[in-house]
Amino acid sequence: MNPDAEAALQERANILVVDDLQEKHVVFRTILDELGENIVSARSGKEALRYILEMEFAVILLDVNMPDIDGLETASLIRHYKKSAQTPIVFITAYVDELQAKRGYALGAVDYIPSPVVPEVLRSKVRVFVELYRMNRQLQLRAAEREALARSEAARAAAEAAIRRADYLSDVSQRLSRSLNLEHTIRALLDAAVPMLGSRAIVVLADAEGQLARSQASSGEGIDSLPPAAREAVTRALHDRRFQLWHDDEDGPAMAICPLTAGERVRGALLLLGEPIAFDSARLALLREVASRASIAMENARLYSAVQEADRRKNEFLAMLAHELRNPLAPIRNAVHIMQGHDVAAPTMSWARDVISRQADHMARLIDDLLDVSRIVQGKVVVKPEQLPLASLIERSAESALPRMESRGQQLVIRLPDEPVAVDGDPVRLAQVLSNLINNAAKFSPPDAPIDLAATYADGTVTITIRDQGAGIDPAFLPHIFDLFAQADQSLDRSQGGLGIGLTLVKHLVELHGGSVEAHSEGLGRGTEVTVRLPARLLEPEEGAAPPQESPAPQLPVSQAERRSRILVVDDLMASAETLMTLLEMEGFEVQIANDGMSALKIAQEFRPDVVLLDIGLPGMNGFEVAHQLRSQPASRDALLIALTGYGEAESRSRSAQAGFDFHMVKPADVELLLKMIGNPQRARRAKVA
């Protein structure tokens, strides 16, 4: 027993004497002093109750006959207090009848002592109650010590368990973070889970739809080794994204299923198998914590893998872009070298010019595709829908692809619905979609091969299917066919060119119209089928009638007198300015050039140009500022201002109009159109206003 408990037992016990007569208190104190305990005297029942609230007594000696509250009533009140409910009460009375005795014992009296008392009898009885009190105190103190010891042991065990848990979780975190490889992370999770969490562990991975894709086990077979009911429980847990504890019966093994999630998506589950008794609340809490950390580690590994894949595709794309842009440069350089030779025959010169023109057009298409996909991905492309007859859309789309197909001897077989159908869409963008798909089919099909384009209408949707008999698509690559920069053939000797962005453009443009696109192939060498679905409606008979043909826009004549217009070319790239000046002078125009904004303003004051071909990206003062000041100078106020620039997005076009430009043309410009516009500047301005 500890020293504090021993000291508590050595303290004097309290004995309460309750009587209204002072002389009796003297008698009781004289008799009981020999016991060496603490005698407390109360002259009334009220005073006795006050002492009981303050102190704990070994025994209470209570006079039955008292003036205010008699002994029986006082005893009844004493028993109402929790502190004194079990304290022995000895009644002191001169006379007690049987009825009074029954009532006293019912109230918890342990004895009656007749008055006047016999000293030896009173002393011996009180001594017994004091000893019982001390024995009871000793038992209470020992019970308290045992309880304190048990609490201490439990606290120590809990602290040790918490330390083990923290150490284990720290070890798990270190194992899971050692590698950003998903397979290594799964292996580390399985090694850490057994035997701490279960006798066997399985990690299952889910596909994009949340269905079981594959599994990996700590030992033996994976999820296929589990009974059908267990596999169904795993499927339910993945679907509900909720923890489950499964077992067939109480005697069979149990399985804890903890989904591995990333945000709102379920990536898989950690399965722990063991005896049902092993999965107590502490083990399940630890399992949930491990699963949470594993979810984070596996998602980090997945994201890292995705970043690596994106980086790989980016590097491949950059290499491909350099390849595709350099390809046209080689024939251009060769053609230029030929044209620089002596006594070049006219047919050879014409052929060289055609080579340069075709390759420049090819480069322009590559750059346009890049700009288009950039604007679409950033959400900057806005379609301008109008009612468009399906037949007209397909005819327009086929026109741009037919020259390539005819050069390869390929045939385009078109089948349209019997009834007239209209698509509500942007004619330019939808034609871009279909011509892209037709060109792809032609590019990957052998010469003389047929290409089918079939359109059907049902329930407010037109379905356009383009089917070829060409190279087909590897099933492993098919899910990525619409990804940006994705190409199935990444080899250096690949037979077809392109940047791998055409189908990305198709997908985004179709979705901007509220439609969908999907591709299907039976495999390599077995052709490809691409299906586009767009919202549509049937045309009424009068709507299906051919619209009146618009008269062609009047062509601006280019006479010798008009070619004498004065042209100011402003471009900081000297080669661009000089070649354009040479071209215009060959057409008979009077041309001057400037390489920056300040020079352009000075030359314009003296030269008084009829037309200003102005680049936007100038050093110091940009083209928008130059245009604004040209409109402020009398010498150039009425000139035809044409922005000739590499910036073709909507924002640049809008700023051009605000700055005072009449037209915005993207480099490389259509030379024929440019010559027609500057041939008669004032008519071109009037045509623009009209």
Side-chain angles (χ1 to χ4, degrees):
M1 187 178 297
N2 62 55
D4 291 338
E6 291 181 358
L9 292 176
Q10 295 302 320
E11 291 179 0
R12 294 194 299 171
N14 297 319
I15 300 171
L16 178 61
V17 179
V18 186
D19 201 303
D20 60 324
L21 299 177
Q22 177 62 30
E23 56 270 24
K24 286 189 178 182
H25 284 287
V26 174
V27 172
F28 288 137
R29 187 175 293 275
T30 301
I31 295 171
L32 299 175
D33 274 345
E34 186 178 320
L35 299 177
E37 309 298 343
N38 182 38
I39 310 300
V40 179
S41 300
R43 300 289 298 275
S44 66
K46 290 181 180 179
E47 188 177 3
L49 294 174
R50 186 172 68 249
Y51 281 127
I52 286 171
L53 292 175
E54 299 173 356
M55 305 169 70
E56 186 175 355
F57 294 95
V59 61
I60 300 172
L61 303 179
L62 181 58
D63 184 22
V64 174
N65 299 308
M66 289 187 296
D68 56 347
I69 305 176
D70 66 21
L72 295 176
E73 293 180 46
T74 303
S76 177
L77 293 172
I78 288 172
R79 289 296 183 237
H80 280 83
Y81 293 112
K82 183 178 180 181
K83 190 175 182 181
S84 57
Q86 302 299 324
T87 304
I89 299 175
V90 177
F91 284 113
I92 308 295
T93 181
Y95 169 78
V96 58
D97 58 20
E98 185 178 352
L99 181 60
Q100 190 181 58
K102 286 183 179 180
R103 185 182 174 196
Y105 287 123
L107 292 172
V110 296
D111 202 356
Y112 273 88
I113 297 178
S115 180
V117 298
V118 177
E120 289 77 9
V121 174
L122 178 62
R123 194 181 299 117
S124 63
K125 289 189 175 184
V126 170
R127 181 183 291 112
V128 170
F129 289 125
V130 169
E131 289 175 355
L132 288 173
Y133 170 76
R134 283 204 168 92
M135 290 174 60
N136 187 46
R137 286 291 304 276
Q138 185 177 15
L139 292 174
Q140 290 177 350
L141 290 172
R142 287 180 176 173
E145 285 180 346
R146 287 194 296 271
E147 184 179 349
L149 180 61
R151 283 198 299 267
S152 175
E153 291 292 335
R156 183 169 64 254
E160 291 174 352
I163 292 172
R164 287 195 302 271
R165 180 177 182 273
D167 290 344
Y168 172 70
L169 290 175
S170 175
D171 178 64
V172 169
S173 296
Q174 289 180 7
R175 292 192 189 194
L176 294 176
S177 62
R178 283 176 188 160
S179 173
L180 285 172
N181 179 282
L182 182 59
E183 297 303 319
H184 294 170
T185 302
I186 292 174
R187 187 71 255 171
L189 175 59
L190 292 171
D191 291 343
V194 179
M196 183 66 177
L197 299 178
S199 58
R200 183 181 169 205
I202 302 174
V203 171
V204 297
L205 298 181
D207 57 21
E209 286 73 34
Q211 301 299 316
L212 293 177
R214 65 185 180 91
S215 67
Q216 188 170 337
S218 58
S219 61
E221 299 178 2
I223 193 170
D224 292 337
S225 65
L226 300 178
R231 295 198 297 272
E232 291 176 6
V234 174
T235 301
R236 286 196 304 271
L238 290 175
H239 179 269
D240 298 338
R241 291 185 292 126
R242 295 180 60 185
F243 172 86
Q244 288 192 22
L245 185 60
W246 175 91
H247 56 86
D248 260 338
D249 53 66
E250 294 183 0
D251 297 330
M255 179 174 65
I257 310 168
C258 200
L260 303 171
T261 59
E264 295 299 317
R265 293 194 60 181
V266 59
R267 300 291 187 188
L270 173 61
L271 316 181
L272 272 303
L273 292 89
E275 295 301 320
I277 194 172
F279 293 108
D280 55 16
S281 58
R283 181 72 59 87
L284 294 180
L286 188 59
L287 167 59
R288 290 173 185 268
E289 181 64 28
V290 170
S292 174
R293 299 187 184 203
S295 296
I296 296 172
M298 292 175 63
E299 184 65 7
N300 288 342
R302 189 193 67 81
L303 292 174
Y304 179 72
S305 176
V307 168
Q308 282 189 314
E309 175 64 17
D311 188 60
R312 182 189 64 79
R313 284 169 48 193
K314 178 205 68 176
N315 291 335
E316 289 175 349
F317 166 73
L318 291 176
M320 195 186 312
L321 176 61
H323 175 267
E324 291 295 324
L325 291 178
R326 284 175 180 150
N327 272 347
L329 289 177
I332 289 174
R333 178 175 290 177
N334 294 338
V336 169
H337 185 74
I338 291 170
M339 295 173 71
Q340 290 173 339
H342 299 291
D343 301 326
V344 180
T348 302
M349 189 69 73
S350 177
W351 170 83
R353 285 197 300 266
D354 287 344
V355 168
I356 294 173
S357 176
R358 286 195 304 272
Q359 298 304 319
D361 288 344
H362 177 63
M363 292 184 71
R365 283 195 298 272
L366 291 177
I367 294 170
D368 285 343
D369 279 351
L370 280 172
L371 294 175
D372 269 350
V373 77
S374 174
R375 288 193 291 266
I376 288 174
V377 169
Q378 296 176 43
K380 293 183 178 180
V381 169
V382 178
V383 296
K384 300 175 181 177
E386 59 183 66
Q387 182 175 292
L388 183 65
L390 177 63
S392 300
L393 170 63
I394 292 179
E395 180 182 358
R396 181 184 305 181
S397 305
E399 282 176 356
S400 62
L402 284 177
R404 180 189 183 113
M405 297 181 65
E406 289 174 354
S407 68
R408 295 168 58 85
Q410 297 168 332
Q411 303 87 36
L412 179 63
V413 181
I414 299 176
R415 288 173 291 157
L416 299 179
D418 294 333
E419 61 271 28
V421 176
V423 178
D424 190 25
D426 188 317
V428 174
R429 291 303 187 179
L430 289 181
Q432 182 180 1
V433 166
L434 295 181
S435 62
N436 191 313
L437 295 177
I438 296 171
N439 275 319
N440 265 4
K443 179 165 59 172
F444 293 103
S445 293
D448 303 321
I451 294 168
D452 293 327
L453 188 156
T456 59
Y457 172 82
D459 300 327
T461 299
V462 64
T463 301
I464 304 171
T465 302
I466 298 171
R467 185 182 298 104
D468 64 59
Q469 301 175 12
I473 303 171
D474 188 335
F477 179 72
L478 196 59
H480 307 288
I481 191 170
F482 294 105
D483 293 351
L484 185 60
F485 307 143
Q487 284 191 316
D489 185 4
Q490 297 286 359
S491 60
L492 294 179
D493 61 345
R494 62 200 182 99
S495 59
Q496 302 293 344
L499 299 177
I501 59 180
L503 290 179
T504 302
L505 280 171
V506 167
K507 181 176 185 292
H508 282 286
L509 289 174
V510 169
E511 289 177 350
L512 281 175
H513 285 82
S516 64
V517 60
E518 60 185 24
H520 176 73
S521 175
E522 295 294 333
L524 294 176
R526 305 184 67 178
T528 303
E529 179 180 292
V530 180
T531 302
V532 176
R533 293 181 177 85
L534 294 166
R537 68 181 183 88
L538 292 176
L539 287 171
E540 298 297 330
E542 58 273 12
E543 292 181 301
Q549 296 293 323
E550 296 183 2
S551 57
Q555 301 294 322
L556 299 175
V558 186
S559 65
Q560 274 305 109
E562 290 167 339
R563 286 181 179 171
R564 296 302 302 168
S565 299
R566 293 183 298 275
I567 314 296
L568 174 59
V569 177
V570 187
D571 199 317
D572 61 325
L573 183 61
M574 185 60 70
S576 178
E578 289 178 347
T579 53
L580 185 56
M581 179 179 71
T582 302
L583 172 65
L584 294 175
E585 287 179 340
M586 289 174 62
E587 296 292 333
F589 295 104
E590 183 180 352
V591 185
Q592 288 199 23
I593 62 175
N595 299 119
D596 59 67
M598 294 304 297
S599 300
L601 294 174
K602 291 178 182 179
I603 293 173
Q605 288 181 345
E606 299 177 1
F607 185 53
R608 304 182 69 83
D610 300 303
V611 179
V612 180
L613 303 179
L614 179 56
D615 189 18
I616 298 296
L618 296 173
M621 183 185 301
N622 65 42
F624 300 126
E625 296 169 328
V626 175
H628 180 73
Q629 295 208 27
L630 286 172
R631 286 296 186 217
S632 303
Q633 293 182 173
S636 54
R637 179 182 296 119
D638 297 325
L640 177 67
L641 292 188
I642 299 177
L644 198 59
T645 176
Y647 298 103
E649 69 277 6
E651 182 182 356
S652 293
R653 294 179 183 274
S654 175
R655 290 187 65 185
S656 294
Q658 294 172 5
F661 282 101
D662 294 299
F663 296 98
H664 186 108
M665 301 184 74
V666 179
K667 295 179 181 178
D670 185 329
V671 176
E672 294 299 326
L673 177 60
L674 180 63
L675 291 176
K676 288 177 182 178
M677 293 171 63
I678 65 178
N680 191 325
Q682 298 308 317
R683 183 179 297 177
R685 291 197 72 190
R686 288 196 299 272
K688 179 226 174 186
V689 173

